Amino acid sequence: MRATPRPMDRILPLLSALAIGLGGAGVAAALSIPAGPLIGAALATGAAAAAGLRLDLPAWLRNAGFAVIGVTLGAGINPGFLGDLVRWGPSLVLLVVAQVVTVMSGAAILSRRIGLDRETALLSASPGGISTAIALALDGRGDATPVLVLQVMRIFVLVTVTPPLALLISTPVTPQIPAPMPWAMLGVLVAVAYPLGLWGARHGLPAATLLLAMALSGAAHGLDLSHGRPPAAAVFTGFALAGIGLGTRLTGLRPRDLARYGRATFFLLGNAIAVSLAFAMAAAWISGLDAGATWIAFAPGGVEAMTAIGLALGYDPGFIAVHHVTRILFLTLFVPVLMARRR
C-alpha cells in the first residue's frame, strides 16, 4: 500500500528552496553583482540541488515572480516602441541567421566530438525552446537525458556569464528609476497578468506570464493609468524567485550525469556564445545599437532570465524581449522541421 505523502514532505523542499535562494540572492545583491538576486538565487539553489538536496518551487509561485518582473519591464518600455521595431529589423534578421548557424554547428560538434546521435545532438544544440526539445526527446526523438542536462546547463551557465560579458563590451547603463509604484497598483497588475499568463501558456506562448505582464504594464503606463516601477522589495523578490525556479531544475539530475556531459556543455556553450556574440556585434555595428544590449538580446539563454538581466543592467526591455521571443518562436518551428527532414 502506498504511503500518503505528509504535508511536511511537500512543504520542506519549498521552504529549503526559499531559504537557500533568498539567502543567495541577498549575498549577491550585497556584493553588487550584476543581476545579483537572479544570479545569487540560481547559483545557491543550483548547487544545493546538484548536491542532492530536495528543493521545490511550485509553478504558481515561480509565475508570480515572472509576473512581477514583467510588470517591472513594462514600466520601462519606451513610448516609441512600435517605431523601434522597424529600426530593429536588421538585427532581428541576423538573430534568425545566428540560430540556424548555432543549431547546425552545435549539433555537428556534439555528434563528432561527444558521439551523440544526430537527433539528440540537434535537440541538445537548440538554444531555446527547452520544453519543446524535451517533449520531442520523450516522444522517442533522441535520448532525453543528455537533452535535459545540456539544456538546463546551457541556461544555468549563461545566467552567470552573460552580465559580466555585457559589461566588458559596453559601458554600463544607470537605470532611470522613477518613483515607486504603489503596492495596490502592483497587486492589480499582477492579479490581472497571472491568469493572462496561464491562458497564454495554454496557447503555446513562450514565457507567457512575463511577456503578458510586460504588455499589460506597458499599456497601463502608456494610458497614464499607472506610474513608476514596482517597489525595490518586490523587484528583488521577483528576481530571486526566477533564480530559484532556474536552480531547482537541477533537482533530480544525478551528479554522474552532470559530470558525464560536462565536456559536452563546454563545447556546446563555447560554440553558442561565440556564434551569438559574433552576430550580435555585427548587428550592433550595422544598426548602431549598443553592443552590450545587443549581446543580451542575442545571448542563447532563457527568455525570462535574459530579459531580467537586461532590466538589471539598464537596457531597453522592449528590445531585449522582442529579440528573445523571436528566437524562441523561430526555434520552435525550425528544429522540428529540421528533424522531420532528416528522418
Side-chain angles (χ1 to χ4, degrees):
M1 188 173 179
R2 238 175 133 178
T4 303
R6 294 175 299 172
M8 285 305 295
D9 291 336
R10 294 189 295 266
I11 295 174
L12 190 57
L14 168 60
L15 294 178
S16 299
L18 290 176
I20 294 170
L22 290 172
V27 170
L31 294 174
S32 299
I33 294 174
L38 176 73
I39 293 175
L43 288 176
T45 52
L53 190 64
R54 286 187 59 218
L55 302 177
D56 181 53
L57 187 73
W60 68 266
L61 193 52
R62 181 192 65 221
N63 287 334
F66 289 152
V68 172
I69 294 175
V71 171
T72 308
L73 289 167
I77 289 181
N78 191 312
F81 174 73
L82 293 179
D84 287 337
L85 287 175
V86 177
R87 188 165 60 92
W88 299 338
S91 177
L92 291 170
V93 171
L94 285 173
L95 175 70
V96 169
V97 177
Q99 304 320 298
V100 176
V101 175
T102 299
V103 172
M104 301 303 292
S105 59
I109 290 171
L110 292 178
S111 295
R112 295 171 187 170
R113 288 186 170 270
I114 309 301
L116 297 182
D117 66 84
R118 184 172 293 178
E119 289 190 332
T120 301
L122 281 171
L123 292 175
S124 300
S126 173
I130 181 172
S131 57
T132 301
I134 293 172
L136 287 169
L138 292 174
D139 197 36
R141 308 296 297 273
D143 185 348
T145 299
V147 173
L148 174 61
V149 173
L150 291 172
Q151 287 283 1
V152 170
M153 292 305 295
R154 169 182 60 85
I155 297 173
F156 188 82
V157 174
L158 278 167
V159 165
T160 64
V161 304
T162 299
L165 184 54
L167 295 178
L168 278 176
I169 62 177
S170 173
T171 303
V173 178
T174 301
Q176 298 296 319
I177 301 177
M181 176 188 295
W183 282 97
M185 176 55 70
L186 174 62
V188 169
L189 290 173
V190 169
V192 175
Y194 192 90
L196 283 177
L198 296 179
W199 173 85
R202 284 197 300 269
H203 289 79
L205 178 66
T209 302
L210 183 145
L211 294 175
L212 291 176
M214 183 177 78
L216 178 67
S217 176
H221 281 77
L223 294 172
D224 208 27
L225 299 175
S226 177
H227 303 90
R229 178 175 166 175
V235 177
F236 174 91
T237 303
F239 273 57
L241 288 174
I244 294 170
L246 174 59
T248 54
R249 286 187 177 185
L250 295 180
T251 300
L253 293 180
R254 296 171 296 182
R256 67 181 182 182
D257 288 330
L258 297 175
R260 178 184 176 191
Y261 295 111
R263 181 165 168 259
T265 300
F266 174 80
F267 284 119
L268 189 62
L269 273 177
N271 175 73
I273 290 174
V275 172
S276 61
L277 189 57
F279 276 91
M281 294 305 95
W285 181 72
I286 292 171
S287 304
L289 301 167
D290 180 85
T294 309
W295 156 242
I296 298 290
F298 276 60
V303 177
E304 299 94 338
M306 293 301 106
T307 49
I309 287 172
L311 171 67
L313 296 179
Y315 298 131
D316 183 351
F319 175 75
I320 306 292
V322 165
H323 281 71
H324 281 287
V325 171
T326 299
R327 173 173 60 86
I328 299 301
L329 291 177
F330 172 75
L331 288 169
T332 300
L333 297 172
F334 174 67
V335 173
V337 169
L338 184 63
M339 293 184 68
R341 292 187 62 183
R342 286 176 174 254
R343 277 217 145 179

